[in-house]
Amino acid sequence: MNSEDVSVKIFKALGHPIRLQIVKSLLTESRCVCDLNLSFDFSQANLSQHLKILREAGILESKKIGVEMHYRVKLKGISKLLSTMDQTVAEYFETLDF
């Protein structure tokens, strides 16, 4: 796997609105899956599938603490990537002619 493959894998994982929300919610602190489940309005199975995709992309890591599974952002560059994306989105909206 080369660097382009990894880039595509990361962008694909972040390309779903729910996964993007999950990652943004984990930028500042790790959270238990039970807390994540309360924060998002979808099933436990759906949440688990999204978390699996984010883990497989190398974006998140998990750690079992007691009976709870906690998730956190593994890649430090994700915060900067999302910040740059937010700036790019703002720039995009500034270029629209209304």
Side-chain angles (χ1 to χ4, degrees):
M1 185 178 287
N2 63 34
S3 63
E4 287 180 359
D5 293 336
V6 173
S7 295
V8 169
K9 189 173 189 172
I10 290 170
F11 278 112
K12 277 186 178 182
L14 293 173
H16 192 284
I18 292 173
R19 290 193 291 271
L20 184 58
Q21 288 175 17
I22 291 168
V23 172
K24 284 183 174 184
S25 76
L26 293 169
L27 283 176
T28 56
E29 64 182 350
S30 67
R31 295 181 64 193
C32 171
V33 71
C34 54
D35 292 338
L36 289 170
N37 202 35
L38 294 174
S39 299
F40 297 99
D41 190 27
F42 43 84
S43 70
Q44 171 70 36
N46 194 355
L47 175 61
S48 293
Q49 186 62 31
H50 289 299
L51 290 169
K52 177 183 175 192
I53 291 167
L54 290 166
R55 271 194 335 268
E56 288 175 351
I59 296 168
L60 298 183
E61 63 184 356
S62 59
K63 179 180 181 181
K64 192 164 187 162
I65 301 175
V67 296
E68 298 177 339
M69 187 63 74
H70 289 252
Y71 289 86
R72 71 181 187 109
V73 175
K74 179 180 178 181
L75 302 175
K76 294 177 184 176
I78 292 295
S79 179
K80 188 174 181 178
L81 176 67
L82 295 181
S83 176
T84 301
M85 182 186 64
D86 288 343
Q87 291 171 350
T88 303
V89 169
E91 181 181 339
Y92 169 83
F93 283 116
E94 289 172 5
T95 64
L96 295 178
D97 293 325
F98 288 104

